Amino acid sequence: MIVLDPDYLILAANAAYRRQFGERGQAPLGRRCYEVSHGYSLPCDQAGEHCPMRKARETRSPDRVLHIHHTPRGPEHVDVELRPILGDHGAIVAYVERLCTVRSASAQPSGAGLVGRSAAFGTALAALQRVAPSQLPVLLLGESGTGKELFARALHEASPRAGGPLVVVDCSGLSEALFESELFGHEKGAFTGAQARKPGLVETAQGGTLFLDEIGDVPLAIQVKLLRLIESGTYRRVGGLETRQADFRLVAATHKPLQDMVQAGQFRQDLYYRLAAFPVTLPPLRERRDDIPLLVDSFLKRGVGTAPALQIDPPALALLQAHDWPGNLRELRNVIERARLYADDGLITAACLPPELLQPRPGPAAGLPPQTAPLTPPSLDDDAALRLWVAGFRGSRREMAQALGLSERTLYRRLRGLQPLE
């Protein structure tokens, strides 16, 4: 924690901040917070970041944001909360800033867990940090392969239930009878083959987190019992009469459009609203192109054992960043594992990659007007021209942001605000 004056100068710092950023245990008093944490010469908002002080100054209330700070250990995700201190006449005289390092995700290559630095990844991670301390059910939405189980594990580890178990239930491919038995357990003799009492996964998850993966595949008949479990916190084993008390945090995930399934009568509306108390959309890899070098380094660190570490050359990395990755992280990991087998000299080159990655990228998406994107970036106020220019752009997101004169985070917010084509 630190105390700042309205000009961003650090007035006081606790021992944890001094250990992180001080020299010989001394706090960097008299320096500006953005110089210490980011290495910037300007406040965060002038460098394209969200500045909590500016927001708190405008609203005269606390503000919270996820930043990447440059620490002696390297870049780290940090949850920043800033509160203004008001004087006798209502003027802001100082600010108190609390900084918590996010342990569940890495901003540098890592051998395990969530990895990313892009704006899209940061948005999902910030939502995760918001909801983790609560007991709200969380619904993870995203395409197949976007890392929903990794996010569920990170949510569990950041929650007060981190000391309990994380129980994963794969809802796809389970019949109605088997699903009920797996989830709630069964008594001896409940059905043919039930030769002993068996506790269910709900019971196994006591004190921890129950993760229902691919919740969209749950049969309608079971959805009724699942809704009762969530609303009452009670259940009965198959073949049993005793009502048992459940104690778990619910996290669900799906790649299916649950709202469309509700409209089609394929998913219960009441269950959907119980599950979607806090929805978090995970970005596909094509929206995280700038994370690909970081992810590749991380995959190369994993499963190495005693083998020498591999490297990837720039042309091969450029091909990976140009691919649209319909299989997302799972597809990228498989491509890297395949390329590892062909890198006889310890270097992954373009020749080590699958043939489909060597093909040139397709032109603008189908349905766009038959025009070419202009070389000169359009006005940011012209949605139609900006949408066309973005569709025809063939560089990375970082290069796109540079061409438009924006930071990557600002670009991501601007792209999300574009209206779709009619």
Side-chain angles (χ1 to χ4, degrees):
M1 297 186 71
I2 54 176
V3 178
L4 304 166
D5 75 2
D7 195 33
Y8 305 93
L9 290 172
I10 299 174
L11 304 177
N14 68 353
Y17 192 89
R18 292 198 300 271
R19 287 194 301 270
Q20 180 89 307
F21 294 107
E23 296 181 4
R24 303 184 185 89
Q26 299 299 313
L29 303 184
R31 296 184 63 191
R32 289 180 167 82
C33 57
Y34 53 80
E35 297 173 342
V36 177
S37 299
H38 295 276
Y40 292 158
S41 58
L42 296 169
C44 295
D45 59 303
Q46 297 179 38
E49 299 269 3
H50 173 102
C51 178
M53 183 179 291
R54 176 176 177 178
K55 187 71 173 179
R57 183 183 296 128
E58 293 172 353
T59 63
R60 304 175 65 79
S61 61
D63 191 44
R64 182 175 171 185
V65 66
L66 188 77
H67 272 181
I68 294 177
H69 284 181
H70 297 276
T71 74
R73 296 185 296 271
E76 294 182 339
H77 292 286
V78 178
D79 190 355
V80 181
E81 182 179 3
L82 185 138
R83 293 178 176 272
I85 300 174
L86 304 181
D88 293 338
H89 301 289
I92 298 176
V93 296
Y95 300 86
V96 174
E97 188 172 80
R98 178 190 61 84
L99 305 98
C100 293
T101 301
V102 177
R103 305 294 182 189
S104 55
S106 177
Q108 49 191 319
S110 173
L114 292 173
V115 176
R117 297 184 62 178
S118 65
F121 177 83
T123 299
L125 184 61
L128 207 68
Q129 290 299 117
R130 283 275 186 177
V131 74
S134 75
Q135 295 298 322
L136 275 179
V138 177
L139 179 61
L140 301 176
L141 302 168
E143 297 175 7
S144 180
T146 48
K148 292 187 281 293
E149 185 170 340
L150 285 176
F151 269 89
R153 188 170 299 278
L155 175 63
H156 170 71
E157 292 174 352
S159 76
R161 293 177 174 264
L166 171 66
V167 177
V168 179
V169 183
D170 184 1
C171 300
S172 59
L174 288 176
S175 66
E176 180 179 326
L178 183 57
F179 188 93
E180 187 174 6
S181 174
E182 286 292 309
L183 197 63
F184 302 124
H186 61 254
E187 297 289 349
K188 180 179 179 180
F191 50 83
T192 302
Q195 299 178 357
R197 173 184 290 176
K198 177 187 174 183
L201 296 175
V202 168
E203 189 173 343
T204 306
Q206 287 287 104
T209 301
L210 184 68
F211 174 46
L212 300 180
D213 198 10
E214 296 304 344
I215 189 69
D217 291 337
V218 174
L220 277 169
I222 296 298
Q223 290 179 25
V224 179
K225 297 180 180 180
L226 188 56
L227 177 64
R228 187 181 304 119
L229 169 68
I230 297 171
E231 291 191 331
S232 68
T234 61
Y235 66 99
R236 286 202 301 262
R237 291 175 177 153
V238 177
L241 299 176
E242 178 188 1
T243 299
R244 306 180 66 85
Q245 194 70 34
D247 176 24
F248 60 84
R249 165 76 169 284
L250 180 64
V251 180
T254 184
H255 71 281
K256 293 185 175 181
L258 289 188
Q259 287 182 305
D260 294 344
M261 293 175 66
V262 169
Q263 295 298 322
Q266 299 171 342
F267 200 87
R268 292 183 62 95
Q269 185 180 55
D270 45 9
L271 177 58
Y272 170 74
Y273 286 121
R274 289 293 296 174
L275 295 173
F278 196 95
V280 179
T281 300
L282 308 187
L285 189 52
R286 62 182 173 275
E287 293 182 6
R288 300 178 53 191
R289 294 188 192 277
D290 291 338
D291 280 340
I292 288 178
L294 190 62
L295 291 164
V296 169
D297 284 348
S298 297
F299 288 142
L300 290 175
K301 286 178 178 291
R302 300 177 187 184
V304 173
T306 58
L310 297 181
Q311 294 183 333
I312 184 168
D313 69 6
L317 190 58
L319 286 170
L320 296 180
Q321 288 188 283
H323 188 54
D324 280 336
W325 300 107
N328 294 296
L329 296 172
R330 187 178 295 119
E331 182 186 1
L332 175 62
R333 183 187 61 213
N334 290 343
V335 165
I336 295 303
E337 291 304 313
R338 176 190 184 277
R340 187 194 299 273
L341 301 178
Y342 286 93
D344 295 329
D345 58 354
L347 181 68
I348 295 176
T349 65
C352 302
L353 301 178
E356 58 268 23
L357 267 69
L358 306 180
Q359 303 299 320
R361 289 182 66 188
L368 288 173
Q371 304 172 3
T372 57
L375 296 178
T376 303
S379 167
L380 296 175
D381 297 325
D382 188 339
D383 276 9
L386 181 59
R387 189 187 307 108
L388 179 62
W389 184 84
V390 167
F393 192 82
R394 288 295 170 263
S396 68
R397 190 182 292 274
R398 179 177 300 167
E399 293 167 338
M400 184 185 294
Q402 291 173 346
L404 292 170
L406 302 173
S407 71
E408 293 175 56
R409 291 180 182 272
T410 302
L411 172 65
Y412 177 70
R413 289 193 292 269
R414 184 66 184 88
L415 293 182
R416 288 189 67 184
L418 285 179
Q419 296 298 315
L421 289 169
E422 298 292 339

